[in-house]
């Protein structure tokens, strides 16, 4: 499939797809006219890349991890060092989730207190 179709199917910009290709996270064959031709499996790969970026992993770490994901490269396994780095990333995400939950709780308290004080605006007469 062409880059525009992959972009539509994954809701990822063509610019991002080119960037992923530049990083070596995504690859495409070239047509005789020089257009990129991505395999159907690229859809799942792009979605996975997006999820890993959203989790806070950098492009080089994603590049190390992608071959180890199910269905990627048969027999590929992450190195013990990569597993340790991923465990560290997971712990960082867990901390961020706890911090965000705490921030949400504080915000909920402020909203609750504000609702008690704020008087609903009245409809203008006339």
């Amino acid at each position: 499939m062409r880059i525009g179709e992959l972009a539509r199917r994954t809701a990822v910009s063509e610019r991002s797809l080119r960037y992923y290709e530049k990083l070596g996270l995504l690859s495409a064959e070239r047509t005789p006219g020089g257009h990129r031709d991505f395999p159907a499996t690229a859809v799942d790969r792009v979605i996975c890349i997006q999820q890993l970026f959203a989790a806070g992993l950098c492009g080089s770490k994603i590049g190390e991890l992608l071959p180890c994901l199910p269905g990627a490269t048969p027999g590929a396994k992450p190195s013990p060092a990569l597993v340790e780095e991923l465990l560290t990333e997971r712990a960082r995400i867990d901390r961020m989730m706890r911090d965000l939950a705490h921030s949400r709780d504080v915000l909920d308290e402020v909203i609750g207190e504000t609702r008690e004080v704020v008087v609903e605006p009245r409809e203008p007469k006339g």
Side-chain angles (χ1 to χ4, degrees), residues 1-3 5-12 17 20-21 25-29 36-50 66 71-72:
M1 85 186 74
R2 296 272 177 93
I3 194 167
E5 176 66 15
L6 182 58
R8 280 188 295 282
R9 291 178 64 184
T10 59
V12 174
L17 296 174
Y20 297 166
E21 189 177 20
L25 304 176
L26 191 62
S27 61
E29 298 291 324
R36 291 171 176 85
D37 186 25
F38 293 95
T41 56
V43 172
D44 289 336
R45 189 171 184 97
V46 169
I47 291 168
C48 182
I49 292 167
Q50 285 287 104
L66 281 175

Side-chain angles (χ1 to χ4, degrees), residues 8-9 17 21 31 41 53 68 74 78-79 88 99 101 111 118:
R8 280 188 295 282
R9 291 178 64 184
L17 296 174
E21 189 177 20
T31 66
T41 56
F53 270 124
C68 306
S79 69
T88 299
D99 291 347
I111 291 169
V118 173

Side-chain angles (χ1 to χ4, degrees), residues 14-119:
E14 292 181 21
R15 182 177 181 206
S16 292
L17 296 174
R18 287 186 202 97
Y19 176 67
Y20 297 166
E21 189 177 20
K22 181 179 177 183
L23 291 177
L25 304 176
L26 191 62
S27 61
E29 298 291 324
R30 293 289 182 155
T31 66
H35 296 282
R36 291 171 176 85
D37 186 25
F38 293 95
T41 56
V43 172
D44 289 336
R45 189 171 184 97
V46 169
I47 291 168
C48 182
I49 292 167
Q50 285 287 104
Q51 291 169 335
L52 294 170
F53 270 124
L57 275 73
C58 66
S60 62
K61 198 64 55 200
I62 293 170
E64 291 177 53
L65 183 59
L66 281 175
C68 306
L69 296 177
T73 306
K77 294 184 180 177
S79 69
L82 178 58
V83 171
E84 284 303 314
E85 290 176 35
L86 293 173
L87 288 170
T88 299
E89 285 295 320
R90 186 176 189 279
R92 181 188 62 79
I93 292 168
D94 286 342
R95 281 191 305 278
M96 287 175 59
M97 290 171 62
R98 283 191 302 274
D99 291 347
L100 285 170
H102 176 72
S103 296
R104 183 193 58 218
D105 292 344
V106 169
L107 184 59
D108 285 345
E109 287 179 30
V110 171
I111 291 169
E113 291 173 7
T114 304
R115 282 185 174 157
E116 293 173 6
V117 178
V118 173
V119 178

